[in-house]
Amino acid sequence: RHSYPALAFMAEFGENADMITITNLSARIAGRLLIDQANVTLPAGTKAGLVGRNGAGKSTLFRIITGEMESESGSVSMPRNARIGQVAQEAPGTEESLITIVLKADKEREALLAEAVTAKDPHRIAEIQTRLADIQAHSAEARAASILSGLGFDHEAQARPASSFSGGWRMRVALAAVLFSEPDLLLLDEPTNYLDLEGTLWLEDYIRRYPYTVIIISHDRDLLNTAVNSIIHLDQKKLTFYRGSYDQFERQKAEADELQMKAKAKNDAARKHLQSFIDRFRAKATKARQAQSRIKALERMGTVAAVIEDHVQGFTFPEPEKQPASPIIAIQSGAVGYTPGKPILTRLNLRIDNDDRIALLGSNGNGKSTFAKFISGKLAAETGEVKTAPNLKIGFFAQHQMDDLVPKDSAVEHVRRLMPEAPEAKVRARVAQMGLATEKMDTPAKDLSGGEKARLLMGIAAFDAPNLLILDEPTNHLDIDSRNALIQALNDYPGAVILISHDRHLIEATVDRLWLVRDGTVTNYDGDLEDYRSIVVSSPKAKSGTAKTDAADDSRNKADQRKAAAEKRAAYAPLKKKINDLESLTEKLNKQIQLLDKELEDPALYEKSPDKAVTKSKERAATLARLNEAEEQWLELSAEYEEAMAG
């Protein structure tokens, strides 16, 4: 333990001491109340995921905990001398080596080593050496190297200066530094946004074994299921603590919401009954006393708050007009790179079919993005043969494309350039399909959130209804509900998909095949993500791609299973389309009935146009019959589809 021994911590604060207590906390940003009289207590050693919608105030809460920002009222208390650690906002860009930067993060070790050089007093020298032994200073370099290795830096990279790395890699160094310092309270704000899948899997394992308190802001469901043992939910300006993983939190919250809705219904019914008695009898002298007693009962009863559900905008990827025959892309002996004669990827012998769902595995720097650019046509083959289906349309999304948005232009202006002849209503309807709310359509791109920019860019990438959609880290700025909406959209999309993502849940929910980018080539991976996770966290050598023989043998048939799943999905695609069409029809019929009900509720209709009222009544009855028929068909076909997919 570096600057506060675990045993001393337990002795001073007790085994069941609270690491952090938030009491009646309120906070505002620019006049907007984000947190209102919130309370939560975390026991020492808790691994908590802090979840809530984007903009709810999660990062604001972190700033209050660290003392960077003052709360409006309330308090945050924690044990005396407890050290708080979080990733530096600015990544290190000095000429110092990575290993040096990480070692310097342990301030106590640095100070003791410096003092050891100048100390003269034998007693002080003994104290220094004892303390250095207590904090395991002799193994510090090995521990720092292990953390850097886990985050993707090999021995050679660790000796290079930080200035030689890009911003994303420097952020990994900043993360390595705070992990190495082992604070009593570790605060991580979206730590996987600058990690690849391999780094994310390593971080999950590291946090799970971390011996002190951790709070993580994350929208990565697998990280929240694997690395934490509790969830703090920031919702409606309040903090609620749940024990267990994210999946357990969802179940507990759903159960609590259901109970609250039942309690509200019961409360509303009781209030309505009392109010009815009061309204009927308060004017009658014989019942006045009873009416007054019921008025008091009504006041004492109070109300039960409604469960407020935030609406999540969906994603819609337009269906290709015509799907070409497979393979849509076939590569033989291909090689690709950026400099002639220096290919990054070689020996490429691959085919992509029109219904393939493929995820690319492999550490950053191995060529995943290069391969995606190659498939999209942004990079030409240096050698080999590449055949593409006639009139193949490819949509490509990558995070760096956010820089291509015109900062002063709104989403409507970006889309209008793609459909210059279309009327304004059609342009706005297309923006709405991208999942941007009406009030955000005219907002300049520079003022959109990261998630809103991602939605706009994905919509632009899929604008021409591509046959193949390539998504390079699409979830970095999306919250959990938006990620679920993306999963649904990808599963409804009938074209082929190539996915690069550190979000394991997204991969497992949408793809059928795994390709491994490693050792300068791309090959089929026969295992599943659980096999791959075991390999990544086992050893640096295994992480670089040397798969364990037994793991591969145990899952030899899983590639066949994924292929069979893809074939089954393709076979039942017409049935799925019928189900989707019926969903659209029922929504349309429900809206028609609502409009008719509104007209029929008007008393003037019956006085001025009784014939029209009769016609509208008949029209409503016919529409209701169509709705009932459509719903019965939907239930029947949905049951058939679910049975087929489960079989």
Side-chain angles (χ1 to χ4, degrees):
R1 188 71 170 105
H2 298 303
S3 65
Y4 209 93
L7 289 176
F9 178 91
M10 301 305 281
E12 183 170 348
F13 300 111
E15 187 173 348
N16 298 314
D18 294 330
M19 178 63 197
I20 180 169
T21 303
I22 295 173
T23 308
N24 296 327
L25 190 73
S26 296
R28 290 180 191 270
I29 294 289
R32 179 180 165 221
L33 186 63
L34 293 177
I35 304 171
D36 183 23
Q37 297 293 303
N39 296 276
V40 74
T41 298
L42 298 185
T46 298
K47 312 288 194 310
L50 177 58
V51 303
R53 287 289 168 79
N54 286 338
K58 301 185 296 296
S59 296
T60 298
L61 180 59
F62 268 21
R63 291 173 63 197
I64 293 171
I65 291 173
T66 59
E68 182 185 343
M69 173 183 164
E70 290 288 332
S71 63
E72 183 175 276
S73 62
S75 64
V76 178
S77 61
M78 59 189 71
R80 181 171 50 85
N81 295 329
R83 295 178 309 126
I84 303 173
Q86 63 178 156
V87 178
Q89 293 183 352
E90 290 188 13
T94 66
E95 295 304 308
E96 290 182 308
S97 69
L98 305 190
I99 192 74
T100 300
I101 290 170
V102 173
L103 287 169
K104 282 187 174 181
D106 188 343
K107 303 295 185 184
E108 183 185 10
R109 174 181 171 275
E110 284 289 298
L112 288 170
L113 289 174
E115 188 181 354
V117 175
T118 57
K120 304 280 192 199
D121 179 35
H123 294 292
R124 180 55 186 159
I125 292 172
E127 287 176 352
I128 292 171
Q129 295 303 321
T130 300
R131 183 59 184 155
L132 285 171
D134 288 342
I135 64 174
Q136 300 177 336
H138 62 283
S139 63
E141 190 161 341
R143 287 188 291 105
S146 175
I147 292 171
L148 282 167
S149 175
L151 293 173
F153 298 98
D154 60 20
H155 182 72
E156 181 184 349
Q158 292 175 22
R160 286 169 51 193
S163 60
S164 66
F165 291 90
S166 65
W169 285 98
R170 290 182 195 174
M171 288 307 298
R172 293 192 188 203
V173 180
L175 175 60
V178 73
L179 294 180
F180 175 73
S181 69
E182 286 194 349
D184 302 295
L185 173 60
L186 175 62
L187 302 177
L188 298 176
D189 191 344
E190 293 289 2
T192 62
N193 272 3
Y194 36 85
L195 298 180
D196 52 18
L197 176 62
E198 291 67 27
T200 299
L201 292 172
W202 178 87
L203 183 64
E204 285 178 8
D205 188 64
Y206 187 91
I207 292 171
R208 191 172 61 249
R209 293 183 288 104
Y210 190 75
Y212 310 107
T213 304
V214 184
I215 305 178
I216 310 172
I217 297 173
S218 180
H219 297 302
D220 188 319
R221 181 185 287 264
D222 272 306
L223 178 69
L224 296 174
N225 275 329
T226 306
V228 307
N229 54 28
S230 57
I231 297 292
I232 305 168
H233 188 207
L234 176 52
D235 182 52
Q236 305 300 319
K237 306 179 181 65
K238 302 293 185 183
L239 294 170
T240 308
F241 181 82
Y242 296 83
R243 293 195 181 278
S245 66
Y246 185 82
D247 284 349
Q248 291 170 319
F249 149 72
E250 274 199 328
R251 287 194 293 272
Q252 291 176 65
K253 185 176 185 305
E255 290 167 2
D257 287 350
E258 186 178 356
L259 287 172
Q260 185 170 342
M261 286 188 289
K262 286 179 179 178
K264 178 171 174 53
K266 187 176 180 181
N267 178 269
D268 288 348
R271 290 180 64 84
K272 186 177 180 181
H273 177 74
L274 284 173
Q275 189 65 54
S276 175
F277 184 93
I278 293 165
D279 293 341
R280 281 188 293 126
F281 297 115
R282 92 190 309 165
K284 292 186 178 182
T286 57
K287 298 286 185 180
R289 183 173 294 177
Q290 293 180 34
Q292 286 299 320
S293 69
R294 281 163 173 76
I295 290 172
K296 292 178 181 177
L298 191 64
E299 290 172 351
R300 287 195 301 269
M301 182 180 293
T303 59
V304 177
V307 175
I308 300 173
E309 294 185 359
D310 294 329
H311 175 65
V312 179
Q313 296 291 122
F315 290 86
T316 302
F317 297 124
E319 186 173 335
E321 293 180 12
K322 185 179 180 182
Q323 196 72 334
S326 294
I328 55 175
I329 298 177
I331 308 167
Q332 289 186 333
S333 303
V336 64
Y338 299 93
T339 305
K342 296 182 178 179
I344 291 174
L345 298 171
T346 61
R347 298 167 282 131
L348 299 176
N349 295 285
L350 304 161
R351 64 175 275 162
I352 301 172
D353 291 335
N354 59 18
D355 64 344
D356 267 338
R357 303 299 172 98
I358 302 166
L360 302 182
L361 307 179
S363 301
N364 280 357
N366 279 1
K368 295 193 301 291
S369 294
T370 300
F371 182 72
K373 291 175 184 176
F374 174 47
I375 294 297
S376 70
K378 296 180 183 294
L379 286 176
E382 190 170 311
T383 60
E385 183 180 16
V386 180
K387 292 181 180 178
T388 59
N391 303 315
L392 180 68
K393 292 182 182 178
I394 299 175
F396 185 88
F397 168 87
Q399 286 291 334
H400 64 78
Q401 291 172 333
M402 288 191 180
D403 297 333
D404 296 335
L405 292 173
V406 181
K408 65 180 180 61
D409 286 357
S410 67
V412 169
E413 289 168 321
H414 279 90
V415 173
R416 190 181 291 122
R417 283 195 285 271
L418 300 174
M419 42 194 315
E421 305 299 324
E424 184 73 6
K426 283 197 173 181
V427 174
R428 289 182 177 274
R430 196 61 185 269
V431 176
Q433 288 178 356
M434 297 175 181
L436 282 163
T438 305
E439 63 270 18
K440 294 289 187 177
M441 290 185 180
D442 296 307
T443 302
K446 64 182 175 62
D447 296 326
L448 293 174
S449 69
E452 289 159 350
K453 289 178 184 177
R455 285 175 177 273
L456 175 58
L457 281 168
M458 265 187 268
I460 292 172
F463 189 84
D464 292 322
N467 311 103
L468 169 62
L469 196 55
I470 302 173
L471 302 177
D472 189 348
E473 294 293 358
T475 63
N476 274 4
H477 299 282
L478 301 181
D479 60 28
I480 289 178
D481 291 331
S482 294
R483 293 182 187 205
N484 288 337
L486 177 61
I487 288 171
Q488 183 177 337
L490 288 175
N491 286 335
D492 288 342
Y493 171 67
V497 176
I498 293 180
L499 180 65
I500 301 171
S501 179
H502 65 261
D503 189 323
R504 187 152 49 111
H505 180 68
L506 176 68
I507 294 174
E508 290 178 328
T510 58
V511 309
D512 301 311
R513 303 176 65 189
L514 301 174
W515 285 0
L516 183 58
V517 184
R518 186 192 68 195
D519 298 333
T521 191
V522 182
T523 56
N524 186 63
Y525 181 72
D526 287 332
D528 61 13
L529 279 182
E530 194 54 38
D531 298 326
Y532 191 64
R533 180 187 176 282
S534 299
I535 292 166
V536 168
V537 301
S538 61
S539 70
K541 182 179 179 182
K543 183 182 174 184
S544 70
T546 307
K548 289 183 176 179
T549 305
D550 55 351
D553 289 342
D554 289 343
S555 59
R556 186 64 63 187
N557 67 340
K558 288 178 181 175
D560 294 333
Q561 291 173 3
R562 286 193 295 272
K563 190 66 178 175
E567 291 170 356
K568 182 186 287 186
R569 184 162 45 82
Y572 284 92
L575 178 60
K576 179 65 174 171
K577 188 176 187 306
K578 284 183 183 178
I579 293 169
N580 292 340
D581 291 343
L582 284 168
E583 285 176 355
S584 300
L585 177 60
T586 55
E587 186 177 346
K588 180 181 176 183
L589 292 173
N590 270 311
K591 287 180 180 177
Q592 288 178 9
I593 290 172
Q594 288 171 10
L595 291 172
L596 287 166
D597 285 343
K598 194 172 182 180
E599 291 183 75
L600 290 167
E601 285 170 3
D602 185 4
L605 175 66
Y606 301 92
E607 295 174 7
K608 296 178 181 178
S609 307
D611 292 340
K612 187 177 180 182
V614 172
T615 302
K616 291 289 182 184
S617 295
K618 289 180 178 179
E619 185 181 342
R620 187 191 186 284
T623 306
L624 182 59
R626 288 182 64 200
L627 176 62
N628 290 335
E629 183 182 350
E631 287 178 340
E632 285 180 14
Q633 276 188 280
W634 181 86
L635 285 169
E636 184 180 335
L637 294 180
S638 295
E640 182 183 341
Y641 184 78
E642 288 173 8
E643 186 178 344
M645 292 298 100

